Amino acid sequence: MKNKITISVSILLYLFSMQLLAQNIIGKVTTASGTTLPGVSVYLDGTTLGTSTNDAGEFSLISTTKFNTSLIIRFMGYEDVILSNPYEKPFWNIVLQVKENEIEPVFIIDDGFTRKQKMQLFKEQFLGSNKEGKACRILNEDALILEFDKKNNRLLAKSYEPIQIQNDYLGYLVEFDLYDFYVLMNKKSIKSADVYQSMFLGTSQFIDNAKHEYQKINRDKAYFGSSMELFKTLIHNSWETKKFLLYEGKFAVNPTNYFKITNEEGLFKVEVKEQNNIGLKSKKFNVFLNLLYNKKRQSQIQFGTKEFFVDEFGNTSHRDQIIFGGDIGTQKLGNLLPLNYQPLKSE
């Protein structure tokens, strides 16, 4: 039986540059004709840090820390602007271009499955089928277009507006701009048991709307044992003080034999050392390892890249080439925390 492989990519663009002293991101947003635009949404991708322009079209985003992520400028009826290095300039003059009419004709195609069946699989692979995922509600389901590609046995999805997800378990409203989504099946099926691989890609904004203390406690539960904590453990070589164990097959191994970490002034370069007896027999780089968290939560991690970069927040590059299975593989958007999240306490 083939192992299921899942890819969950929540951030579209990553900036991996030198960490410098924090500074504000300041700018002004206008149309091509020079008209100022109030109420434009401005936020750091994957975080809770956002603001909107004032009556003069000006914005100032205050942050005590620099984040290796993009700045998104979004306003209805205009093309999004994505700044991959928002700290590059002391002041930004942003000109928004009117979005061309992208409404496409909708054809009713008989792909063999009902919308209800496709929506169920979409939610499982996008939100998650665990308690965190099941606690999420999509507030604008009608914006989603779902199609089963019978030729390639894939469920595809797109949305003409950001998907709004209320996560009642963690106390966040997430606006996710879906850029790409697919679920690859082992055969022509819509059943979750036949999923071989899934992936979603996009930008996100988190709005903290927690109303109960237990939601903040749940955030810590979601953090511990997550990929975010794993990558922090990796770059700081804190395996002994954390609850992660690394395995090659059934044998526990020393992580230093598999990873070389270089601190490049606050940004960590991770080099994966290929072992002769691991990975699939392929010309492509492929290293496959097992993880155990807290002596019971089992995961698999597959590296299709020889090197990648990690910042202090556990934000990584090459997320489409770092594939998780098992426990971490089941953690979808319902488990997703903002990049600026810090746990309330140590586990």
Side-chain angles (χ1 to χ4, degrees), residues 142-278:
D142 291 343
L144 283 163
I145 297 176
L146 306 173
E147 176 187 352
F148 190 85
D149 175 7
K150 293 187 288 187
K151 181 179 180 181
N152 298 296
N153 291 333
R154 298 184 304 170
L155 176 68
L156 306 174
K158 60 182 178 180
S159 178
Y160 290 114
E161 64 185 38
I163 304 172
Q164 296 181 7
I165 305 106
Q166 175 58 48
N167 189 333
D168 291 326
Y169 185 82
L170 300 179
Y172 289 115
L173 174 64
V174 185
E175 294 191 355
F176 195 94
D177 196 6
L178 187 67
Y179 283 35
D180 194 13
F181 174 92
Y182 70 79
V183 183
L184 181 62
M185 313 300 291
N186 283 319
K187 57 184 179 180
K188 184 181 176 182
S189 168
I190 207 76
K191 296 180 180 179
S192 56
D194 295 318
V195 172
Y196 173 68
Q197 179 177 317
S198 66
M199 184 275 289
F200 61 86
L201 180 68
T203 60
S204 59
Q205 180 182 20
F206 288 77
I207 300 170
D208 189 338
N209 61 3
K211 298 178 181 178
H212 307 283
E213 188 63 27
Y214 73 81
Q215 292 173 312
K216 297 179 180 179
I217 296 173
N218 288 343
R219 294 173 184 177
D220 270 14
K221 293 179 180 179
Y223 170 80
F224 292 115
S226 67
S227 61
M228 181 185 290
E229 187 190 21
L230 171 65
F231 288 123
K232 290 181 182 179
T233 300
L234 174 62
I235 62 176
H236 294 300
N237 194 28
S238 55
W239 299 85
E240 293 183 1
T241 59
K242 300 296 181 181
K243 296 185 178 181
F244 284 105
L245 291 175
L246 188 69
Y247 286 79
E248 178 189 334
K250 296 181 180 180
F251 301 96
V253 295
N254 186 344
T256 59
N257 294 333
Y258 291 80
F259 305 103
K260 179 182 177 182
I261 314 296
T262 306
N263 187 342
E264 299 184 351
E265 299 188 43
L267 185 67
F268 297 84
K269 178 181 178 181
V270 181
E271 297 177 65
V272 185
K273 302 177 184 178
E274 187 172 19
Q275 306 294 310
N276 294 328
N277 59 338
I278 63 176

Side-chain angles (χ1 to χ4, degrees), residues 13-21 23 66-70 83-89 262-269 308-313 315-317:
L13 297 175
Y14 292 84
L15 169 68
F16 292 93
S17 60
M18 197 179 299
Q19 289 276 56
L20 303 175
L21 293 177
Q23 66 184 40
K66 278 196 171 183
F67 293 90
N68 292 321
T69 190
S70 302
L83 303 178
S84 61
N85 186 355
Y87 304 100
E88 184 179 14
K89 297 180 180 180
T262 306
N263 187 342
E264 299 184 351
E265 299 188 43
L267 185 67
F268 297 84
K269 178 181 178 181
F308 58 96
F309 297 88
V310 184
D311 66 16
E312 286 283 356
F313 307 98
N315 181 25
T316 72
S317 66

